[in-house]
Amino acid sequence: MAYIPSTSGIKRDYDDYADTSSQSPTRATTPTETGGTPRISGSGSRASSLRAVSDPVVAEILQNITGKDDGLAAKNLSLLQKRLGSGFVKMMTSPGVADLVRDVKLEQNFETQRGQDAALAKHFGDASAVPLPANIKPTEFVVAPLDIMPYKVADSGEFRATLLELNGTGYGNITTMEPNTLDTVMSSFGNVSHILEKEPTALFLVACSGREDPPAFGQSKKIHEKLMIANAMQTTITQAQQEQAEKTGQPVLGVQVLGVDSFDADALVMKDGKPVIENSKALEKPGRDKDGVEKMKNILNGHNWDKPTQPTVLVGYTAQLAKAIEIHDGTPFLNGRKVSFIGNDRLVLNINALNEGSGKKLDTSKFTSNNISYVPAASKGHAYAFTNQFNKAEGAAYPGFSREIVNRQASTLEDVEKEVLSMLAEGKRVIIKPSGTGHGDGIRAFDIAEKETPELIRQEIRESYESVKGTYGDRGGFPYTISEYLTADRVSKEDSPLKSMKYEFRVAVYSDYSDKEKGPQLKAVPAIIKIDGGSKLREGESGDFSKSFASVSAQVLATGLPASEFMKPLCSEATLDLVGVSKEEMTELCEWSTRLVSHILANVDQSDTILDK
């Protein structure tokens, strides 16, 4: 596998934004179509910013990413230089890429990343390493950020934890990872050159969530993380082409990078300056399409789309791409061109969902999915079924994490109510989780005493469903997963301002191809601790049961504060001390995590049937 230059910048001073060095002055093609042409500076501050940039190419990039806020553009420029490293100029002068970041307040995550301990990350990775299952081809698994909840057991001081979600390559805030580990992950993302052996002009899609949630339909603050992935791909592809040229004398084809955001705000029906939303969908003007599928096709047609002469790496939004992609005999096609690689779990699932009515489904033997375990990555029910299967076989070695997860599925409101009342009658608290949602939306919990008021339970379930449909429409809701409510652990350190707040862990399992002797491995690293800032106990509260659930993204949306306010570096002795977890206990959790993911990957062909068992 080709070496990927560092993109996370471990040796750089993350705080020193003013000291970012200029990039190569080699002139690159000016962005066209969605990239636009360089704009003439229209304010004193912008002119000042441009004068401060000595490299003319970097100055041109700054012009192209500058929108309403000159200061934001300058910060984004520095962030992109640091994150993209030597690929900065290639990426940011590629058609349409500037549009993806203009006027977007990109999440930095430098503060969180700086707090990660490199020595600890290496220890956890080495201690948890297991071979990548033999059935997994390169790039079929890169990373799964497991959300894990430590929980309390009465009269026990032992460390216990349970899986909440598996997640996948749509991983937002990946830049919180320890820098060396992030380099390894980006290298694995870039490991795509083998696809070119059969398809020299292959099309690679790197998709980002966003542009789909009414009423704002906002751009993603994490879009630069997808640019980092695209950069890793184009770097590897270029090096593979150069190596092949040296052997055969064939010309180097190069790599075409495109950024596409075809969202059409003018297509929306507006009232009082806001989009009109009915049944979770934004009303569109007759004959118009807010996702801009035809607009996207016109953009693509301007870039040798019908007769490509080189591979293409396209960065875009999941909602738009899913709507534009067609399935022919299991193979995805975008504007008539075969898609060779899809780099987002949710995009695969959305394409299948949109084509379900016509009986069409993607066949992963005919293209490469960047995460072959995309079903359990997105479905809590499937993830829990695989986890129970694994714990039944190997859980004895990890008693702190092997408690069976109650995993009941319900596809109607009546069935949700039936399962909730049944579990309460069994003396178990209940938590219900809808499919296809984020930010903790639709999650509800019920204490045992509530079984005496079934009408109130029915009302709360109905409110959960209506809130999900109001936000997600057909993308969220059934089936609901009904599980056992466990009491989340809380920060207990006396002198901490976070004392008594609930928290969760994110442990990232990733592939590492760097050891040629041992071969591809799965490793795990503690990534972040997610703090529920609204869960601090008031005087007299026990914290034994709560109906409040606040994810990091939900708190960001609610407060407007950066994500760093609600997450802290977990690969850190200080954070482990904060929550009273020893290095040995975290090592064991990392070992369990890699073995769980290995089990899921080895048995991924059971994804369609495991809920039937």
Side-chain angles (χ1 to χ4, degrees):
M1 187 197 73
Y3 167 72
I4 303 295
S6 172
T7 54
S8 62
I10 183 174
K11 295 181 180 179
R12 298 186 179 94
D13 180 357
Y14 294 137
D15 286 336
D16 191 3
Y17 269 69
D19 193 33
T20 303
S21 60
S22 297
Q23 303 298 319
S24 167
T26 302
R27 195 71 175 175
T29 304
T30 300
T32 57
E33 297 289 351
T34 56
T37 56
R39 291 186 289 276
I40 299 174
S41 56
S43 69
S45 59
R46 181 179 301 177
S48 175
S49 295
L50 292 176
R51 284 195 297 270
V53 178
S54 59
D55 188 313
V57 176
V58 177
E60 188 172 279
I61 292 171
L62 178 58
Q63 278 189 316
N64 283 320
I65 68 172
T66 300
K68 301 174 183 177
D69 186 335
D70 298 346
L72 175 62
K75 289 182 178 180
N76 283 347
L77 179 79
S78 187
L79 170 66
L80 291 163
Q81 286 178 309
K82 290 176 181 294
R83 291 303 189 191
L84 298 175
S86 61
F88 167 76
V89 170
K90 164 68 177 178
M91 293 300 299
M92 296 312 301
T93 56
S94 293
V97 172
D99 281 351
L100 296 177
V101 301
R102 189 181 303 121
D103 288 325
V104 180
K105 189 176 182 180
L106 302 176
E107 288 280 1
Q108 298 174 10
N109 289 328
F110 290 127
E111 180 182 353
T112 302
Q113 193 178 37
R114 190 177 59 246
Q116 308 283 18
D117 187 310
L120 273 182
K122 185 177 187 307
H123 162 77
F124 291 127
D126 291 344
S128 62
V130 295
L132 184 72
N135 61 307
I136 303 301
K137 302 172 186 176
T139 70
E140 284 191 336
F141 177 82
V142 175
V143 63
L146 278 60
D147 285 335
I148 293 172
M149 186 185 80
Y151 65 91
K152 289 186 175 297
V153 177
D155 302 321
S156 172
E158 296 181 7
F159 175 50
R160 306 286 180 90
T162 188
L163 180 75
L164 294 177
E165 294 185 62
L166 184 65
N167 298 310
T169 53
Y171 189 175
N173 288 316
I174 195 171
T175 49
T176 59
M177 294 179 76
E178 185 276 322
N180 288 327
T181 308
L182 180 60
D183 279 350
T184 299
V185 172
M186 286 297 152
S187 181
S188 293
F189 271 120
N191 188 20
V192 297
S193 57
H194 62 284
I195 295 175
L196 302 178
E197 296 173 5
K198 294 183 178 179
E199 302 176 73
T201 59
L203 172 58
F204 301 84
L205 300 185
V206 181
C208 185
S209 298
R211 290 300 206 190
E212 53 197 321
D213 293 331
F217 299 104
Q219 294 168 276
S220 173
K221 295 180 179 180
K222 305 174 183 65
I223 190 71
H224 61 295
E225 296 183 340
K226 308 309 176 185
L227 296 179
M228 291 170 66
I229 294 171
N231 181 42
M233 291 179 178
Q234 70 90 11
T235 303
T236 301
I237 292 171
T238 299
Q239 183 165 331
Q241 290 174 339
Q242 292 170 343
E243 293 173 353
Q244 184 68 13
E246 292 174 0
K247 294 177 183 178
T248 65
Q250 296 175 348
V252 175
L253 297 180
V255 186
Q256 180 183 52
V257 177
L258 298 176
V260 177
D261 178 5
S262 57
F263 182 76
D264 183 5
D266 189 56
L268 297 172
V269 175
M270 307 291 288
K271 184 177 181 180
D272 298 327
K274 297 180 181 179
V276 178
I277 309 296
E278 290 186 2
N279 297 322
S280 83
K281 294 183 179 180
L283 295 186
E284 297 168 325
K285 298 173 184 176
R288 301 291 295 275
D289 170 23
K290 67 175 177 58
D291 292 311
V293 171
E294 290 304 315
K295 176 183 175 182
M296 178 190 295
K297 291 179 179 180
N298 290 334
I299 293 171
L300 299 179
N301 286 336
H303 297 285
N304 298 321
W305 198 255
D306 291 339
K307 298 179 180 179
T309 59
Q310 56 187 178
T312 298
V313 179
L314 188 154
V315 182
Y317 280 102
T318 300
Q320 298 163 13
L321 291 169
K323 197 171 179 179
I325 286 173
E326 298 177 347
I327 300 177
H328 298 290
D329 192 27
T331 303
F333 285 82
L334 176 59
N335 194 30
R337 183 173 172 183
K338 179 191 173 184
V339 177
S340 304
F341 174 97
I342 295 180
N344 188 296
D345 318 72
R346 180 57 62 182
L347 178 55
V348 175
L349 290 165
N350 286 0
I351 294 169
N352 282 335
L354 289 173
N355 286 272
E356 186 176 9
S358 60
K360 296 180 180 180
K361 186 178 181 180
L362 291 172
D363 181 348
T364 52
S365 69
K366 298 185 177 181
F367 73 102
T368 298
S369 171
N370 202 197
N371 179 12
I372 198 68
S373 59
Y374 58 85
V375 172
S379 164
K380 298 177 183 68
H382 286 80
Y384 294 168
F386 274 114
T387 302
N388 286 337
Q389 187 184 65
F390 166 74
N391 281 335
K392 187 175 181 180
E394 302 186 41
Y398 304 97
F401 321 124
S402 61
R403 180 183 179 127
E404 182 179 7
I405 302 174
V406 175
N407 182 27
R408 303 183 186 183
Q409 302 296 301
S411 296
T412 67
L413 290 174
E414 291 75 16
D415 285 345
V416 175
E417 179 187 355
K418 177 182 176 182
E419 294 292 352
V420 169
L421 290 174
S422 174
M423 285 184 60
L424 293 177
E426 295 168 15
K428 295 178 180 177
R429 292 166 164 175
V430 183
I431 186 168
I432 63 173
K433 304 175 182 180
S435 299
T437 65
H439 318 310
D441 293 339
I443 295 178
R444 299 290 188 273
F446 304 94
D447 206 349
I448 295 173
E450 294 182 70
K451 66 182 179 181
E452 304 300 332
T453 54
E455 276 300 322
L456 294 180
I457 290 176
R458 186 177 300 114
Q459 179 180 340
E460 198 164 343
I461 292 171
R462 189 179 301 112
E463 289 173 350
S464 163
Y465 180 72
E466 289 174 353
S467 70
V468 168
K469 300 307 289 184
T471 301
Y472 298 89
D474 295 337
R475 295 179 288 113
F478 296 122
Y480 269 67
T481 296
I482 296 90
S483 194
E484 182 180 10
Y485 176 97
L486 301 175
T487 301
D489 202 1
R490 294 175 181 266
V491 176
S492 58
K493 195 171 181 62
E494 289 295 335
D495 58 352
S496 170
L498 304 178
K499 187 177 186 301
S500 83
M501 292 184 186
K502 295 190 296 183
Y503 64 90
E504 299 170 6
F505 291 157
R506 172 158 283 182
V507 175
V509 176
Y510 61 97
S511 59
D512 184 351
Y513 289 81
S514 64
D515 193 320
K516 301 303 180 184
E517 293 184 4
K518 294 181 179 179
Q521 296 179 296
L522 292 175
K523 295 182 177 181
V525 64
I528 56 172
I529 178 174
K530 301 192 288 184
I531 305 292
D532 183 350
S535 65
K536 191 175 183 66
L537 295 178
R538 299 178 178 85
E539 186 175 352
E541 291 181 331
S542 69
D544 183 55
F545 181 83
S546 173
K547 284 180 172 286
S548 172
F549 304 94
S551 67
V552 169
S553 56
Q555 293 179 89
V556 169
L557 289 172
T559 65
L561 295 172
S564 59
E565 292 293 318
F566 308 103
M567 59 186 183
K568 305 297 178 185
L570 185 53
C571 197
S572 157
E573 289 185 359
T575 305
L576 294 179
D577 178 66
L578 174 72
V579 295
V581 174
S582 68
K583 178 180 176 181
E584 291 71 27
E585 290 171 328
M586 182 55 71
T587 299
E588 187 177 19
L589 180 59
C590 287
E591 291 174 354
W592 176 84
S593 298
T594 53
R595 284 152 181 79
L596 168 63
V597 172
S598 176
H599 173 85
I600 292 172
L601 293 174
N603 296 280
V604 71
D605 59 345
Q606 298 181 28
S607 294
D608 290 339
T609 60
I610 193 164
L611 290 179
D612 300 331
K613 297 181 179 181

